[in-house]
Amino acid sequence: MKLRYFSHSSFQITTDSGLVLLIDPFLDDNPTSPVTSEEVTADFIVLTHGHGDHLGDGFKIAARTDPLFICVNELANYCSEKGFRAHNMHIGGSYGFDFGSLKFTIAHHGSMTPDNRYAGEPAGVVLSIDGKTIYHTGDTGLFYDMKLIGEMTPLDYMLVPIGDNFTMGITDAVKAVELANPNIAIPMHYNTFPVIEADPQEFKQGVESIGKQAVVLEFGEELVL
Ligand code: NI
Ligand code: MN
């Protein structure tokens, strides 16, 4: 499996069998994204919540590539109403897809669509793909149940927001890594806008100071997992 980071909370996963998942594809209006929505394709689009910097270019990409949206119920209904294919789920539930399994977790945040519709609860996702597990927390503050999430699914990778203001900042993000206990933590949701400027190396040092490992991905970098 390959994991490519487009910046912000936007990732592309390519499975060993060649399936492509996009998570929170915020590209065209994202000043830090190295790719545009025209340059990506998707078999699945996973949305953690309805905010514009997460729904992003989902519909633009879907109009061209007909992926299956995977979201919590209210947001999945919104995708269906827009004419796209969607799989409705909700927090605590997991389901097996062609790429592997996906489980939605809690996240402490808000969730509205860009046209101000309630989009259900915001979420994180735990993915089990090609024998590895990845926890994308979505936008969230720190919460103690991250420990439970890591206990129920031992985590290989954890994608953690560090930009502060709308989500955890670095201090809380390091604590989140301690609680969820992944093998490797990867920072996200930083340096997209001035209000969420953060130094990912400071996060990496913090994670290393608690005896854990972090990898800082360049915007556009791809990692083989
Ligand atoms: Ni948000
Ligand atoms: Mn956000």
Side-chain angles (χ1 to χ4, degrees):
M1 169 184 23
K2 287 181 286 190
L3 178 75
R4 187 169 180 209
Y5 183 41
F6 291 139
S7 77
H8 208 58
S9 297
S10 190
F11 290 85
Q12 172 186 275
I13 291 171
T14 309
T15 70
D16 291 346
S17 63
L19 293 171
V20 177
L21 284 77
L22 297 179
I23 306 174
D24 291 352
F26 174 53
L27 307 172
D28 293 349
D29 293 332
N30 171 356
T32 51
S33 174
V35 299
T36 66
S37 64
E38 302 291 311
E39 296 171 79
V40 298
T41 176
D43 297 299
F44 300 89
I45 295 181
V46 179
L47 301 176
T48 60
H49 62 295
H51 287 160
D53 59 320
H54 295 262
L55 172 58
D57 303 295
F59 293 156
K60 233 189 275 183
I61 297 163
R64 196 163 44 77
T65 65
D66 191 34
L68 181 69
F69 281 92
I70 304 172
C71 338
V72 300
N73 187 58
E74 293 81 356
L75 187 53
N77 285 342
Y78 181 73
C79 297
S80 299
E81 282 168 29
K82 297 285 178 187
F84 301 110
R85 297 188 299 124
H87 182 99
N88 297 41
M89 295 182 69
H90 232 304
I91 289 159
S94 61
Y95 189 80
F97 296 89
D98 289 347
F99 60 80
S101 74
L102 180 152
K103 181 179 189 177
F104 277 108
T105 69
I106 59 168
H108 291 297
H109 194 65
S111 186
M112 299 283 277
T113 64
D115 54 354
N116 285 323
R117 270 188 40 189
Y118 172 65
E121 294 298 301
V125 281
V126 176
L127 297 155
S128 302
I129 301 173
D130 295 334
K132 294 275 197 301
T133 58
I134 303 170
Y135 171 32
H136 184 302
T137 69
D139 280 3
T140 186
L142 177 64
F143 57 92
Y144 201 79
D145 282 357
M146 285 177 172
K147 186 169 164 45
L148 186 60
I149 292 167
E151 281 177 7
M152 296 311 290
T153 310
L155 301 169
D156 292 303
Y157 297 89
M158 180 179 183
L159 315 177
V160 198
I162 65 163
D164 221 334
N165 194 76
F166 300 112
T167 66
M168 294 184 277
I170 288 173
T171 305
D172 285 5
V174 169
K175 187 69 186 178
V177 173
E178 186 187 323
L179 291 171
N181 195 32
N183 290 329
I184 292 173
I186 296 173
M188 65 174 180
H189 211 273
Y190 65 93
N191 291 353
T192 324
F193 313 110
V195 75
I196 57 169
E197 270 172 20
D199 179 0
Q201 295 303 331
E202 189 186 325
F203 168 74
K204 183 173 155 66
Q205 286 159 16
V207 169
E208 287 168 355
S209 77
I210 57 164
K212 302 290 302 172
Q213 251 187 294
V215 171
V216 177
L217 295 179
E218 299 293 325
F219 298 161
E221 189 176 348
E222 187 167 67
L223 195 64
V224 177
L225 309 189

